[in-house]
Amino acid sequence: MGISNDRTNLKTLLQGAQLPALPQSAIRLLEISQNPDATATQFAAPIESDPGLTGQVMKFVNSSYFGFAREISSVKLAITLVGIRTVKNFALWSAVFSLMPNPKCGPFDLKKLWQDSLRRALFARAIAKLLGMKDGEEVFAAALLQDMAVPLLAKALPEDYASLLDGRKNGKSRLSQLEMERFGWTHAQAAGQIARSWNMPEVFASLVERHTELDALLAQSPRDPAAIAVCLSSLLPTDSDETWTECSQLEDGYGRICPVGGVPLSQLLAEIDQEFVQFAPVLKLPTPAKSLVAWHDAALSTV
């Protein structure tokens, strides 16, 4: 039974938590995004008005992840080459990353959270591609930020979250399940509310809000490939855990959506490991202690 009082009522909690405001450059990007006819020049303007963001975007576009033969020297050219949505989403990820607190709360580790989040984002985008989606950037962004509420909630309720994180027993229980039992809501629902408070697109808010609802999404007809991709990504192992309890659930879910004769999960995980090595330096993230392939092999050996 969830606790129902002012301290743990989600809406009241978030209102009192003094959520950080998005930078003006990010707000302007979101506003421009509402115009389907917006040009590269229009998108470049708010990025160029923020020197720090400009530097991050240029480092991103000139990284080995894209592998351009020559250095890209302007934001407008970067947008033209890699796409408006890719650059816009990177700018938003950077803005959100810069806002997240690093609360001293039990075993919580912000750096490991972002490591896990990047792997999930890469995995979700790969799933979206397998499901025939032409553009996986929104899925990538939603998977990357699906757990963005956790550090904010851990800062607001440090004792509760220290207990909840310990209660996960190194991956044997889902945080969302423990949150629902204690509060009657989850960090996924909190992330959806935070996204809406920042006036992010509703499709994005919905994707982060539903990332724990795999069974319900798989039962829907027609299925929502973007939401399923984000959901499946949430079942990947957490780098700080000792066991991958949800491996079998991921195997089952992947089997239900992957075309017969399609890419084996083990092969997809190997591809994500390779992509992580290329992408992680852009976000200044170290390589996780254990690869997804190693996690998968270990999980299969215990079956």
Side-chain angles (χ1 to χ4, degrees), residues 231-303:
C231 259
L232 286 175
S233 76
S234 76
L235 299 175
L236 289 175
T238 297
D239 192 51
S240 58
D241 285 343
E242 295 177 356
T243 58
W244 185 11
T245 306
E246 292 164 329
C247 181
S248 59
Q249 189 179 355
L250 178 59
E251 288 269 10
D252 177 67
Y254 185 73
R256 291 169 67 181
I257 59 95
C258 186
V260 176
V263 179
L265 180 59
S266 57
Q267 179 181 329
L268 185 62
L269 294 176
E271 292 172 2
I272 302 309
D273 282 335
Q274 292 176 345
E275 284 193 59
F276 186 98
V277 172
Q278 292 179 306
F279 207 124
V282 180
L283 299 181
K284 299 180 181 178
L285 293 175
T287 302
K290 196 171 181 179
S291 70
L292 291 176
V293 169
W295 272 110
H296 192 236
D297 289 345
L300 293 181
S301 69
T302 61
V303 174

Side-chain angles (χ1 to χ4, degrees), residues 191-214:
Q193 290 199 26
I194 291 170
R196 293 185 183 95
S197 75
W198 285 338
N199 292 317
M200 289 183 167
E202 177 57 31
V203 63
F204 176 87
S206 179
L207 286 174
V208 297
E209 190 171 54
R210 301 164 68 197
H211 79 257
T212 61
E213 302 174 9
L214 180 60

Side-chain angles (χ1 to χ4, degrees), residues 174-197:
R174 290 202 82 173
L175 177 60
S176 56
Q177 177 186 348
L178 300 175
E179 290 168 326
M180 185 60 72
E181 292 171 356
R182 179 169 295 205
F183 304 130
W185 47 260
T186 71
H187 67 277
Q189 293 168 320
Q193 290 199 26
I194 291 170
R196 293 185 183 95
S197 75

